[in-house]
Amino acid sequence: MIVLFSPSEGKNPPQDTNLSPKDTQIKALFSNTSYKQKAIDSYIQALKQCDNATICKIFGTKTLKLEDVSLCQNLLKTPRMPAIELYSGVAYKALDFKNLSSDSQHFLLCNVFICSNLFGFVRASDNLPFYNLHQNKGFGAFELKTIYKAQKEDMESLLADKEVLDLRAQAYIKVYEPEIPHLRAEFLYNGKTLSHYAKHYRGLYLKELSKHYAKDSRLNLENLTFENLALKDITHKKHIKTLVYEIMQK
């Protein structure tokens, strides 16, 4: 199974590195392709040439931290860490990667692909530097839709003949939607679809999924049980099957 997952705006600054200062290529999914290199180069140049107001827009912040700007301008030479440990938002706090069993961690590192704002899709195990790029504030070669349009053919080839679960937010589904049959999960509370708080349940869902699949990779998602979640419906639209869960009150 391959799980597609969203990134988060919040990130943990990497602390350690074994990389040589001469290592100027990000070792990540499809990193040898020109579109990824163009996106990274364009992003770095923008941070070096744009005024503070524009950089604030790129970062999605009102004020700038000089330390963050420096890290982003020099991301080809800064420390890196596995993508799944870099992100620190709501979904990642719920996932709680570091406190999972080694088997669950192995499943996540091998099977989760994160839809980043700058590097395109990356494996959960890919080593990434700290960067800051708001979801819809890129432009030119590092605009979100540009990156994912360029990557579409590579991703379709990678996903072919695989079971795919898409746990991403709508903003990322809009820039890339798999054309192959795949699964999604939707969360309802009192019969209404969650928006922002859905991030939390996507993280919990992936956490529990990693525990189940670490024990038995042949399990069918439709037969799995999750704490505080009840499978209420299964919908079909073209090549997409959606598992609809109701959040049960404690």
Side-chain angles (χ1 to χ4, degrees):
M1 168 178 280
I2 286 181
V3 182
L4 306 182
F5 207 58
S6 298
S8 71
E9 300 295 342
K11 299 175 187 70
N12 298 306
Q15 299 297 319
D16 301 308
T17 180
N18 294 316
L19 297 175
S20 163
K22 296 181 180 180
D23 185 354
T24 58
Q25 185 178 24
I26 303 297
K27 297 295 192 298
L29 188 66
F30 312 135
S31 62
N32 60 340
T33 54
S34 61
Y35 59 80
K36 280 210 174 186
Q37 291 304 309
K38 287 179 180 178
I40 295 169
D41 292 344
S42 179
Y43 171 76
I44 292 173
Q45 286 303 310
L47 296 184
K48 290 181 177 180
Q49 297 174 1
C50 292
D51 57 28
N52 286 352
T54 302
I55 296 176
C56 279
K57 290 181 180 179
I58 292 172
F59 284 5
T61 59
K62 294 182 179 180
T63 58
L64 291 178
K65 294 182 180 179
L66 294 181
E67 181 180 355
D68 287 356
V69 175
S70 179
L71 281 171
C72 295
Q73 288 177 335
N74 296 284
L75 59 75
L76 294 177
K77 299 178 181 179
T78 56
R80 302 171 195 176
M81 66 194 301
I84 202 164
E85 296 183 45
L86 174 67
Y87 297 103
S88 62
V90 173
Y92 292 85
K93 285 182 171 63
L95 177 61
D96 196 19
F97 175 81
K98 288 190 175 182
N99 288 315
L100 290 171
S101 70
S102 58
D103 287 341
S104 290
Q105 289 183 349
H106 179 74
F107 168 83
L108 294 170
L109 291 170
C110 293
N111 296 279
V112 172
F113 289 72
I114 300 170
C115 190
S116 79
N117 290 342
L118 178 60
F119 305 107
F121 274 107
V122 297
R123 298 181 183 87
S125 59
D126 284 340
N127 288 319
L128 299 183
F130 177 88
Y131 72 97
N132 197 346
L133 175 57
H134 193 272
Q135 184 182 101
N136 294 310
K137 299 303 181 181
F139 50 84
F142 67 99
E143 184 178 12
L144 197 65
K145 65 180 182 181
T146 300
I147 295 171
Y148 284 94
K149 181 179 180 180
Q151 196 177 53
K152 180 177 179 180
E153 185 176 339
D154 287 330
M155 280 303 296
E156 290 299 315
S157 178
L158 185 148
L159 298 179
D161 302 321
K162 294 185 175 66
E163 182 182 15
V164 177
L165 170 63
D166 194 345
L167 286 180
R168 296 174 300 155
Q170 279 296 320
Y172 296 100
I173 292 175
K174 287 180 179 178
V175 294
Y176 172 73
E177 181 177 303
E179 295 182 353
I180 62 170
H182 62 279
L183 292 163
R184 291 184 188 169
E186 181 179 341
F187 306 101
L188 307 178
Y189 185 71
N190 289 334
K192 297 181 179 180
T193 303
L194 289 179
S195 53
H196 176 75
Y197 203 56
K199 297 176 182 179
H200 175 74
Y201 281 93
R202 292 188 194 110
L204 290 179
Y205 191 85
L206 182 56
K207 179 179 182 177
E208 292 305 313
L209 181 64
S210 73
K211 295 177 181 179
H212 287 295
Y213 269 83
K215 297 176 181 177
D216 186 355
S217 61
R218 298 168 297 176
L219 289 174
N220 187 324
L221 268 180
E222 297 175 28
N223 298 327
L224 294 185
T225 57
F226 297 88
E227 186 177 359
N228 298 326
L229 290 177
L231 183 61
K232 290 296 186 181
D233 194 12
I234 300 175
T235 64
H236 297 81
K237 184 179 180 181
K238 296 182 179 180
H239 54 284
I240 304 167
K241 179 191 291 186
T242 302
L243 307 180
V244 183
Y245 294 89
E246 179 74 24
I247 299 168
M248 309 303 293
Q249 296 185 15
K250 295 181 180 180

